[in-house]
Amino acid sequence: MFILCRAPTTPGSRTGLFVGTARPAAAPAPPPTTTAANPTPTPEISPEQVRSLQQRLRAAGFYDGNVDGLWGPQTQEALDNARRVYNVETEDLLKGEF
């Protein structure tokens, strides 16, 4: 598909026509993983990794829920709060770098 358009004019510039091709829009990213029992988007980590994260977040005072290896709203909130306090990326917190 070709597009023909007139360039905006500014004082002292020439008006020209430009021809280009239109690229199709990129496909949207797939939605995060969710389940009926767990409506919070979860990172792709194992229950053992979630349990370890919950223990570290609890020791740091960010999490007071059950250390059960299930990703839920309390785990997400604790992770978000720790990320803001320590000013680090989520991936660093998931690796235990806090």
Side-chain angles (χ1 to χ4, degrees):
M1 168 189 260
F2 287 96
I3 298 175
L4 181 65
C5 61
R6 181 181 299 266
T9 59
T10 57
S13 69
R14 296 182 183 176
T15 301
L17 296 177
F18 295 91
V19 177
T21 58
R23 294 187 179 126
T33 304
T34 60
T35 64
N38 183 10
T40 303
T42 61
E44 298 299 321
I45 61 176
S46 70
E48 292 78 23
Q49 290 170 312
V50 174
R51 189 175 293 111
S52 174
L53 174 65
Q54 289 170 332
Q55 289 169 341
R56 291 191 315 267
L57 290 169
R58 177 178 282 208
F62 292 104
Y63 182 73
D64 63 356
N66 293 329
V67 177
D68 53 13
L70 300 176
W71 193 275
Q74 284 183 300
T75 303
Q76 182 67 51
E77 182 179 359
L79 182 72
D80 292 342
N81 290 336
R83 187 181 53 78
R84 280 192 293 275
V85 168
Y86 292 120
N87 195 29
V88 295
E89 297 296 321
T90 299
E91 292 78 23
D92 296 333
L93 290 172
L94 294 175
K95 293 177 199 173
E97 299 174 7
F98 71 99

